[in-house]
Amino acid sequence: MSIYLHDIPLSTAQDHLKQSLEAAGLWQVLGSETIKLDENALGRVLAEPIWASISSPHYHASAMDGFAVISENTSGAGPSTPLTFPVEAESAHYVDTGDPLPEWANAVIPIENIESLDENNNITQAIQRPASIRIRAAVAPWSHIRPLGEDIVATQLVLPSGHTLRPVDLGAVAASGHQEINVARKPRVAILPTGTELVPIGSKLKSGDILEYNSLVLAAQIKTMGGEPKRYPITKDDFDLICNNVLDAAKDHDLILLNAGSSAGMEDFSSKVVEKLGQLLVHGVAVRPGHPVILGIINREGKQVPIIGVPGYPVSAALTTEIFVEPLMAKWLGRRPFELPTEEAKLTRKITSPAGDADYVRVAAGMVGGNLLVAPLSRGAGVITSLVQADGLVVLPPGVQGMEAGGKVHVRLYRSKSELERTILCIGSHDLILDLMAQFLTESDRRLVSANAGSQGGLIAIKRGEAHMAGSHLLDPENGEYNISYIRRFVPDVPIKLVTLAGREQGLAVRRGNPKAVHGLNDITRADVQFINRQRGSGTRVLLDYHLNQLGISPDLIHGYHQEEYTHLGVAAAVASGRATCGLVIAAAAQALDLDFIPLFQERYDLVFPQEYANSQLLAPLFDLLAAPGFRTAVSKLAGYDVSMTGNVVLDDKF
Amino acid sequence: MSIYLHDIPLSTAQDHLKQSLEAAGLWQVLGSETIKLDENALGRVLAEPIWASISSPHYHASAMDGFAVISENTSGAGPSTPLTFPVEAESAHYVDTGDPLPEWANAVIPIENIESLDENNNITQAIQRPASIRIRAAVAPWSHIRPLGEDIVATQLVLPSGHTLRPVDLGAVAASGHQEINVARKPRVAILPTGTELVPIGSKLKSGDILEYNSLVLAAQIKTMGGEPKRYPITKDDFDLICNNVLDAAKDHDLILLNAGSSAGMEDFSSKVVEKLGQLLVHGVAVRPGHPVILGIINREGKQVPIIGVPGYPVSAALTTEIFVEPLMAKWLGRRPFELPTEEAKLTRKITSPAGDADYVRVAAGMVGGNLLVAPLSRGAGVITSLVQADGLVVLPPGVQGMEAGGKVHVRLYRSKSELERTILCIGSHDLILDLMAQFLTESDRRLVSANAGSQGGLIAIKRGEAHMAGSHLLDPENGEYNISYIRRFVPDVPIKLVTLAGREQGLAVRRGNPKAVHGLNDITRADVQFINRQRGSGTRVLLDYHLNQLGISPDLIHGYHQEEYTHLGVAAAVASGRATCGLVIAAAAQALDLDFIPLFQERYDLVFPQEYANSQLLAPLFDLLAAPGFRTAVSKLAGYDVSMTGNVVLDDKF
């Protein structure tokens, strides 16, 4: 077993797959089928061009309800020189919109422009069959007529092959005389999730269980691309079982996606399966996330079926499918590959990237001060929310080892520019209330994107003009005041409006029932209490030290004071697992892990706005929200929040 | 019966509908339903926000295959100072990717970075259960670990309500602990085509029959918007029948689209139907195309159902649905309305527009010389191909009476800019071969858009820098030569490459079997022959006059010489209907109307390229095509074309 992956460049891997499929006769449209022209044809790809078999209209048709006349006979008619035509052949004849023009006629006068007369030349209401009509304006030849072939001329090209059918296309195909169409057959794609640790969606989870949802994402991606996915049930890590399922899938499918089992560990069978059942083309591609991609071709009774070993991490899985499967589906359907609009943008934070890898960086995006800014999201291959939150992708080509903050990048955008113009970019400390705010703001047609960079990171973003607002809860140990001194230090030159979002409780998380009876900071020095701390520099650590100092408690007396976690959740997890008795967290973290919470301190969580944006159209709905009773009620229902100060203006610099 | 429509401004009509629906409690999300989380959830709209009910990962998980260790114990390890750890608790423990971290561990060393040792400290292949491991580098705390909640923290907002589900969203919803989701119910929309003249798709047509395909387009539009369409069969123009069907539709649907019957003619029942069964809100909207729009609300046993009378012309029908139905569907589903990206562009041709109307102008678009250019397509409400060919919409607001050529407009684009950058814009005389070319060029990832402006119109477009190429067949009667003298006159300052596309036959179209035995121009002076001519100034008229002059035939001897049609098809139609015996057309026009064709003259149809584009990357595939045997074979299969001169360079100015 090879335990080292030999990554090859992405373009080499793509070429290798393409050439092998060409050799197998599989780099072309897979086949076509004739389907009925109805609304189910929507989104299908034409396998042949549509040439018109009839003209439309197929006769000279009246374009209006009115009277068909001979244009030349109307010349001279005017407001004070009306002309009268008896309703009879070669003179005037009533036509509805769409009626064929009589042979002798070459113009139509709309019904609004005539006077209907009875036998005595009096105006009558017998619109359709008057004795005669009177007109007060001449009409040019071919007026109000849709000439034969105005829309479509028999034999003309209506739609090229490879075209994906939209609603109006269906009408044009019908109008050109077709009732059936020849479309590319949908590629059938088998998706096989493998892994003993996997459990189906909805399972009750125990430690080590992994929810299997990659097959769901992959199936939905295949549908979006125009293919027909089939999700197999989870296969355990058993070489023979996997081989059997792959062979079964090869029977009726055009492509097999074998998910997970593609890295180099002990239970990774994918490459061995491919080697046994066919030809292993590529094992390992220099693309991030996604490295342990496998490309191969399975042979089953003379039939060759490409197989892709898709990495197990959800972000790797989704991006691998975009990178390798989408071009293949495009080729098989005969359509153009999907393409995202690309714009130039400014990077808000440094990105590092291993040399040699094509690096797909998910970014949030927004327009601040007329600039398109992109903020890198979590780089973790396991963080599917980074794809959910992504407004775009920045691809760093191999050879580029990273990019400094402020650098120009090209971003492939998932969202329209007008959506980005309605996006409020919040960088700084994250809090659950921002999520709630995001939900409320959708109703005012605003999108709140918040990137977690910590309170100080938020102030730096404000200084750099990279955010419309920042969340901050920085306590000044000198004076016990929040945020103001930090704002003056970090953003001395920007006029600021500082508004309180809410009071937030910090307290001790303990196991359900509080078995060690911990009630305050005085208890954490006890010998039977094991504490778990946050890292130095975190707001919560500052808060703890401030209060220990106030109480005159020496940190040396606390067991575990030097044991550090990096997040509220990390602290709560240590308590939940029994590694520690208690730790200082916000209430929400305790609630998330089903712990008891002993409230100790209120801290103030404020929003920091440059005045430039505080008064903007963009942020107006957000200020409305801070004043809205419905929003305050929703916040006060969250554990550990106090809305009595919500909306208080703490600072209001001159603009 | 009111036969005059009183058009009200578009925004007034939209407000009126909105207020009436608000009063009826119908301007909100219609309802929700709980569905299983599987790939069929794709494209559904969340009726509630998704809050995470579990964290992901829900434990500290190893991010790699490797050994869990205590970080602090690894310090000091280096290339020449390896450290060895027995594989046992509190020392080193094998973990697969995704395995829970042992309680005592706080880091993972990837398997690639260790040496496996047996009992005698020799290197072994027992990767998973060696006796001990040796490392040559220290590892930082929390390395290669996915901490609890790295992706999702229980209680956090995963997706807001109103969000349309994409593939990755499904994964995130699953990861956050849900197996069912609450989505907006799909609005049910009944589509009722009415009209005695309508026949179903696929019918054999007689004069006056109109193919009913609007219901197909509307149904597909509704699907695209996220609704559930139902197409009713065609109802004749019978007031009681229409009433019955509308009432039937009101029973199970949220919206009724009553197609056609909404203008002011004799058979237009729609407004009367609405008045009888409910409340008529609006009859006539100042929007073009689309004027005779009807908005109303039907009452059926206390249930109120909005009804929209959609005009019968296909372009009006499709645009009315976009303008009035899409915002309603967005509201009913709780999602944002669709929005097309908007860009500034330069207009290639003057548009006139009636004051007071909101005018929706379909345009073709392309990038020429770095400018985004838009060319207005056919304005006819009956020309569905204008929607098919449209790359975008230019909306002239009420009050704007038109726009000059060269004016700046905002265009809502249906296509991405990168697609437009691969678009070859051809303005000038149209020929069937350009259709064939368009089809061939899709294979080289080029899009050929040809706007028919006549040969001279094409040369003017070239002069103005508004086209990459032009089709031209302008005969100089002075010297019998094609195009060159016109090019020198119209585009004296642009270096040109002139390349022959093909020889094209002009000849006499006669009824099948040539009953009057017409064989040449000498026959058309006969007393029993009725001729039909093209208008003065057309290329074909120039050609005819040239040859009459050559033969010494006086036009006065020809019956019908002064009877003019404006298109090849118009001439062919006059022959097909018996109004004329013969006329001069290209072979394709005769073929389109199933006429016999007597070939008389070859004319040369050339392509005119500014040298700037003749050598561009964009046009390279087109020049390749002119040389490709497959393309020539395809052209020579068309009636009346000669490819012996195809690709000949007639002019090649210095650049």
Side-chain angles (χ1 to χ4, degrees):
Chain A
M1 189 189 81
S2 145
I3 57 159
Y4 295 92
L5 304 177
H6 302 285
D7 289 348
I8 61 171
L10 174 56
S11 57
T12 310
Q14 285 170 321
D15 287 350
H16 201 13
L17 180 65
K18 180 183 162 188
Q19 282 152 16
S20 302
L21 290 176
E22 266 168 356
L26 291 173
W27 190 252
Q28 58 187 39
V29 176
L30 282 182
S32 66
E33 58 185 333
T34 299
I35 62 168
K36 200 181 147 204
L37 182 65
D38 63 21
E39 56 269 40
N40 296 316
L42 195 66
R44 298 300 296 267
V45 181
L46 288 174
E48 304 181 333
I50 300 282
W51 301 96
S53 66
I54 56 173
S55 296
S56 173
H58 55 102
Y59 53 89
H60 296 318
S62 175
M64 301 287 275
D65 298 332
F67 282 83
V69 297
I70 297 164
S71 152
E72 290 73 12
N73 298 350
T74 68
S75 70
S80 54
T81 54
L83 288 178
T84 302
F85 297 90
V87 174
E88 60 185 35
E90 315 264 329
S91 166
H93 178 79
Y94 178 81
V95 282
D96 271 326
T97 304
D99 278 352
L101 196 69
E103 276 292 309
W104 49 264
N106 70 353
V108 168
I109 306 177
I111 202 163
E112 300 91 296
N113 299 348
I114 61 119
E115 294 161 8
S116 298
L117 304 179
D118 62 15
E119 290 75 9
N120 306 316
N121 278 0
N122 295 319
I123 287 186
T124 168
Q125 290 303 312
I127 305 296
Q128 202 172 6
R129 284 188 189 76
S132 58
I133 60 167
R134 189 159 59 198
I135 62 169
R136 292 175 187 275
V139 61
W142 297 98
S143 294
H144 308 297
I145 288 172
R146 299 185 58 216
L148 186 151
E150 181 200 42
D151 189 359
I152 296 169
V153 175
T155 72
Q156 87 171 52
L157 177 70
V158 179
L159 290 167
S161 67
H163 180 83
T164 303
L165 292 166
R166 305 160 302 171
V168 291
D169 298 327
L170 303 182
V173 173
S176 63
H178 301 275
Q179 57 179 319
E180 288 182 332
I181 44 175
N182 202 7
V183 295
R185 170 168 85 65
K186 289 188 177 189
R188 289 185 288 266
V189 180
I191 300 161
L192 278 67
T194 70
T196 305
E197 71 285 6
L198 298 182
V199 296
I201 292 170
S203 303
K204 181 128 186 87
L205 298 176
K206 54 181 201 304
S207 191
D209 285 348
I210 295 179
L211 276 172
E212 195 294 290
Y213 56 78
N214 278 345
S215 67
L216 172 58
V217 174
L218 266 49
Q221 285 181 300
I222 296 296
K223 268 185 86 166
T224 307
M225 294 169 187
E228 209 168 85
K230 180 181 169 182
R231 288 164 71 188
Y232 274 67
I234 295 163
T235 309
K236 278 193 299 189
D237 287 318
D238 176 307
F239 184 76
D240 294 328
L241 272 180
I242 297 175
C243 284
N244 286 346
N245 282 342
V246 166
L247 278 179
D248 180 79
K251 196 171 149 194
D252 293 323
H253 295 90
D254 304 302
L255 173 67
I256 300 168
L257 301 182
L258 187 58
N259 188 218
S262 64
S263 82
M266 288 304 291
E267 294 167 11
D268 297 330
F269 297 112
S270 294
S271 63
K272 289 199 288 179
V273 167
V274 177
E275 270 171 350
K276 181 185 158 129
L277 302 179
Q279 190 193 354
L280 181 65
L281 301 171
V282 171
H283 188 186
V285 180
V287 58
R288 184 179 173 218
H291 275 269
V293 176
I294 288 169
L295 306 176
I297 294 184
I298 298 297
N299 295 303
R300 183 188 187 277
E301 298 170 9
K303 182 186 173 193
Q304 295 195 291
V305 181
I307 184 166
I308 298 182
V310 176
Y313 279 129
V315 179
S316 308
L319 284 178
T320 296
T321 308
E322 275 188 30
I323 294 169
F324 289 99
V325 180
E326 157 54 24
L328 188 52
M329 298 288 285
K331 181 49 82 175
W332 282 352
L333 286 162
R335 63 163 169 77
R336 288 170 46 95
F338 293 151
E339 213 173 5
L340 293 171
T342 299
E343 298 281 345
E344 201 177 59
K346 200 175 127 193
L347 201 59
T348 63
R349 235 180 33 237
K350 182 180 172 166
I351 316 178
T352 55
S353 175
D357 279 5
D359 201 346
Y360 285 69
V361 182
R362 287 83 72 202
V363 295
M367 304 286 295
V368 183
N371 295 314
L372 179 59
L373 297 177
V374 293
L377 295 164
S378 165
R379 309 289 298 280
V383 182
I384 192 168
T385 48
S386 69
L387 270 176
V388 169
Q389 288 159 9
D391 299 321
L393 275 182
V394 170
V395 183
L396 297 182
V400 172
Q401 268 191 274
M403 191 66 82
E404 292 302 314
K408 289 276 174 202
V409 291
H410 283 93
V411 57
R412 304 183 189 174
L413 287 175
Y414 291 131
R415 293 183 190 275
S416 73
K417 275 188 103 170
S418 68
E419 241 179 311
L420 296 178
E421 279 161 5
R422 280 190 292 265
T423 297
I424 301 169
L425 210 54
C426 175
I427 298 183
S429 169
H430 186 76
D431 184 88
L432 198 57
I433 303 179
L434 293 175
D435 287 352
L436 200 66
M437 218 162 196
Q439 171 60 33
F440 271 84
L441 283 172
T442 57
E443 280 158 40
S444 318
D445 203 18
R446 292 292 180 278
R447 208 169 63 94
L448 178 66
V449 167
S450 54
N452 189 359
S455 296
Q456 293 188 9
L459 295 180
I460 292 167
I462 294 286
K463 180 185 165 69
R464 287 199 193 134
E466 293 173 352
H468 299 109
M469 58 186 269
S472 183
H473 59 119
L474 291 166
L475 175 68
D476 185 340
E478 302 288 311
N479 58 15
E481 177 55 271
Y482 282 89
N483 296 320
I484 295 176
S485 61
Y486 293 85
I487 289 172
R488 294 309 180 211
R489 183 160 18 124
F490 284 96
V491 278
D493 302 328
V494 182
I496 293 291
K497 186 165 194 162
L498 182 67
V499 180
T500 296
L501 181 56
R504 192 165 86 152
E505 264 168 348
Q506 293 256 17
L508 292 173
V510 295
R511 295 187 107 172
R512 270 254 177 263
N514 196 0
K516 294 274 176 78
V518 177
H519 299 294
L521 291 191
N522 288 316
D523 292 322
I524 66 173
T525 55
R526 276 167 28 202
D528 64 332
V529 170
Q530 181 74 24
F531 189 70
I532 176 88
N533 209 346
R534 287 291 303 283
Q535 85 278 15
R536 259 162 300 180
S538 71
T540 301
R541 177 73 165 258
V542 171
L543 186 72
L544 176 73
D545 291 345
Y546 175 77
H547 284 284
L548 289 176
N549 187 40
Q550 297 269 22
L551 293 170
I553 299 171
S554 161
D556 295 341
L557 300 175
I558 302 166
H559 304 280
Y561 178 85
H562 296 290
Q563 230 183 323
E564 294 182 348
E565 288 282 345
Y566 286 76
T567 63
H568 287 279
L569 261 284
V571 169
V575 174
S577 71
R579 187 151 60 92
T581 315
C582 62
L584 191 63
V585 294
I586 57 170
Q591 195 179 38
L593 287 185
D594 207 23
L595 298 172
D596 277 0
F597 180 73
I598 296 129
L600 293 183
F601 320 115
Q602 273 253 323
E603 62 172 2
R604 213 179 68 216
Y605 186 98
D606 292 339
L607 300 177
V608 184
F609 304 91
Q611 287 287 13
E612 181 183 359
Y613 303 121
N615 301 299
S616 68
Q617 196 65 28
L618 177 71
L619 271 80
L622 190 144
F623 282 94
D624 293 346
L625 198 60
L626 289 173
F631 174 66
R632 291 185 184 210
T633 306
V635 173
S636 61
K637 280 184 185 155
L638 298 175
Y641 289 95
D642 170 15
V643 295
S644 63
M645 300 181 295
T646 298
N648 284 3
V649 178
V650 184
L651 259 186
D652 200 359
D653 293 340
K654 275 231 175 73
F655 187 23
Chain B
M1 188 189 81
S2 146
I3 58 160
Y4 294 93
L5 305 179
H6 301 286
D7 289 348
I8 62 170
L10 175 54
S11 57
T12 310
Q14 285 170 321
D15 288 348
H16 201 13
L17 180 64
K18 181 184 160 185
Q19 282 152 16
S20 302
L21 290 176
E22 266 169 353
L26 291 172
W27 189 252
Q28 58 187 40
V29 176
L30 282 181
S32 66
E33 59 185 333
T34 300
I35 62 168
K36 201 180 147 206
L37 182 65
D38 63 20
E39 55 269 40
N40 296 316
L42 196 65
R44 298 300 296 268
V45 181
L46 288 174
E48 303 181 334
I50 301 282
W51 301 96
S53 67
I54 57 173
S55 296
S56 173
H58 55 103
Y59 53 89
H60 296 318
S62 175
M64 301 286 275
D65 298 333
F67 282 83
V69 296
I70 297 165
S71 152
E72 290 72 13
N73 299 349
T74 67
S75 69
S80 54
T81 54
L83 288 180
T84 302
F85 297 90
V87 175
E88 58 186 36
E90 314 266 329
S91 167
H93 178 79
Y94 179 80
V95 282
D96 272 324
T97 304
D99 279 353
L101 197 68
E103 275 292 312
W104 50 265
N106 70 353
V108 169
I109 307 176
I111 202 163
E112 300 91 298
N113 300 348
I114 62 118
E115 293 161 9
S116 299
L117 305 180
D118 63 16
E119 289 74 10
N120 306 316
N121 277 0
N122 295 318
I123 287 186
T124 168
Q125 291 303 312
I127 305 296
Q128 201 172 6
R129 283 188 190 76
S132 56
I133 59 167
R134 189 159 58 200
I135 61 170
R136 292 174 188 275
V139 61
W142 297 98
S143 294
H144 307 298
I145 288 171
R146 299 185 58 217
L148 187 152
E150 181 200 42
D151 188 0
I152 295 169
V153 175
T155 73
Q156 85 171 55
L157 178 71
V158 180
L159 290 166
S161 67
H163 181 83
T164 304
L165 292 166
R166 305 160 302 170
V168 290
D169 298 326
L170 304 182
V173 173
S176 63
H178 301 276
Q179 58 180 319
E180 288 183 331
I181 44 174
N182 202 8
V183 295
R185 171 169 85 65
K186 290 187 178 193
R188 290 185 288 267
V189 180
I191 300 161
L192 278 66
T194 70
T196 305
E197 71 284 7
L198 298 182
V199 296
I201 292 169
S203 303
K204 181 127 185 87
L205 298 176
K206 54 180 202 304
S207 190
D209 286 348
I210 295 180
L211 276 172
E212 197 293 291
Y213 55 78
N214 278 346
S215 67
L216 172 58
V217 175
L218 266 47
Q221 285 182 299
I222 295 295
K223 268 185 85 165
T224 307
M225 294 169 189
E228 209 169 85
K230 181 181 168 181
R231 288 165 70 189
Y232 275 66
I234 295 163
T235 309
K236 279 193 300 191
D237 287 317
D238 176 307
F239 184 75
D240 294 327
L241 271 181
I242 296 174
C243 284
N244 286 346
N245 282 343
V246 166
L247 278 180
D248 180 78
K251 196 170 148 196
D252 291 324
H253 295 90
D254 303 302
L255 173 66
I256 300 168
L257 301 181
L258 187 59
N259 188 219
S262 65
S263 83
M266 288 303 291
E267 294 167 10
D268 297 331
F269 297 112
S270 294
S271 63
K272 288 200 288 181
V273 167
V274 177
E275 269 170 352
K276 180 183 159 125
L277 302 179
Q279 189 193 355
L280 181 65
L281 301 171
V282 171
H283 188 186
V285 179
V287 56
R288 183 176 176 223
H291 275 269
V293 176
I294 287 168
L295 307 176
I297 294 184
I298 297 298
N299 294 305
R300 183 188 187 276
E301 298 171 8
K303 182 185 173 193
Q304 296 194 291
V305 181
I307 184 166
I308 299 181
V310 176
Y313 278 130
V315 179
S316 307
L319 284 177
T320 295
T321 308
E322 274 188 29
I323 294 169
F324 289 100
V325 180
E326 157 54 24
L328 189 53
M329 298 288 284
K331 181 48 83 175
W332 282 351
L333 286 162
R335 64 162 168 77
R336 287 170 47 95
F338 292 152
E339 213 173 5
L340 294 171
T342 301
E343 298 280 345
E344 200 177 61
K346 200 174 128 193
L347 201 60
T348 62
R349 235 180 34 235
K350 182 180 171 164
I351 316 177
T352 54
S353 175
D357 280 6
D359 201 347
Y360 286 69
V361 182
R362 285 84 71 200
V363 295
M367 302 286 296
V368 183
N371 295 313
L372 178 60
L373 297 176
V374 293
L377 295 163
S378 165
R379 307 290 298 280
V383 182
I384 193 168
T385 48
S386 69
L387 270 177
V388 169
Q389 289 159 9
D391 299 321
L393 275 182
V394 170
V395 182
L396 297 182
V400 172
Q401 267 190 276
M403 191 67 83
E404 292 301 314
K408 289 277 173 202
V409 291
H410 283 93
V411 58
R412 303 182 190 178
L413 286 174
Y414 292 131
R415 291 184 191 274
S416 72
K417 274 188 104 171
S418 67
E419 241 180 310
L420 296 177
E421 278 161 4
R422 282 190 290 267
T423 297
I424 300 170
L425 210 54
C426 175
I427 299 182
S429 169
H430 186 77
D431 185 87
L432 198 58
I433 302 179
L434 292 176
D435 288 351
L436 199 66
M437 219 161 195
Q439 171 60 32
F440 271 84
L441 284 173
T442 57
E443 281 159 41
S444 317
D445 202 19
R446 291 292 181 278
R447 210 168 63 94
L448 178 66
V449 167
S450 53
N452 189 358
S455 297
Q456 293 189 9
L459 295 180
I460 292 167
I462 294 286
K463 181 186 165 68
R464 287 200 194 136
E466 294 173 351
H468 299 109
M469 57 186 271
S472 182
H473 59 119
L474 290 165
L475 174 68
D476 185 341
E478 302 288 309
N479 58 15
E481 176 54 89
Y482 281 89
N483 296 319
I484 295 174
S485 61
Y486 293 85
I487 289 172
R488 294 309 179 212
R489 184 162 14 126
F490 283 96
V491 277
D493 302 328
V494 182
I496 292 291
K497 185 164 195 163
L498 183 67
V499 180
T500 297
L501 182 57
R504 190 165 86 152
E505 264 169 349
Q506 293 256 16
L508 292 173
V510 295
R511 297 187 105 173
R512 270 257 177 262
N514 195 1
K516 293 274 176 76
V518 177
H519 299 295
L521 290 191
N522 288 317
D523 293 322
I524 67 174
T525 55
R526 277 167 27 202
D528 64 334
V529 170
Q530 180 74 24
F531 189 69
I532 177 88
N533 208 347
R534 287 291 303 284
Q535 84 279 14
R536 259 162 301 179
S538 71
T540 301
R541 177 73 165 259
V542 171
L543 186 74
L544 176 74
D545 290 345
Y546 175 78
H547 283 286
L548 289 176
N549 188 38
Q550 297 270 23
L551 293 169
I553 299 171
S554 162
D556 295 340
L557 300 175
I558 302 167
H559 303 281
Y561 178 83
H562 296 291
Q563 231 183 323
E564 294 181 348
E565 288 282 345
Y566 285 76
T567 63
H568 287 280
L569 261 285
V571 169
V575 174
S577 71
R579 188 151 61 94
T581 316
C582 63
L584 190 65
V585 293
I586 57 169
Q591 195 180 38
L593 286 185
D594 206 23
L595 299 172
D596 276 1
F597 180 74
I598 296 129
L600 292 183
F601 321 115
Q602 273 253 321
E603 63 172 0
R604 213 179 68 216
Y605 185 98
D606 291 341
L607 300 177
V608 184
F609 305 91
Q611 288 286 14
E612 181 183 359
Y613 303 121
N615 301 300
S616 68
Q617 196 64 29
L618 178 72
L619 271 79
L622 189 145
F623 282 93
D624 292 346
L625 198 61
L626 289 173
F631 174 66
R632 291 184 184 210
T633 307
V635 173
S636 61
K637 279 183 186 158
L638 298 175
Y641 289 95
D642 170 15
V643 295
S644 65
M645 299 180 295
T646 298
N648 285 2
V649 178
V650 184
L651 259 186
D652 199 358
D653 293 341
K654 275 231 176 70
F655 187 23

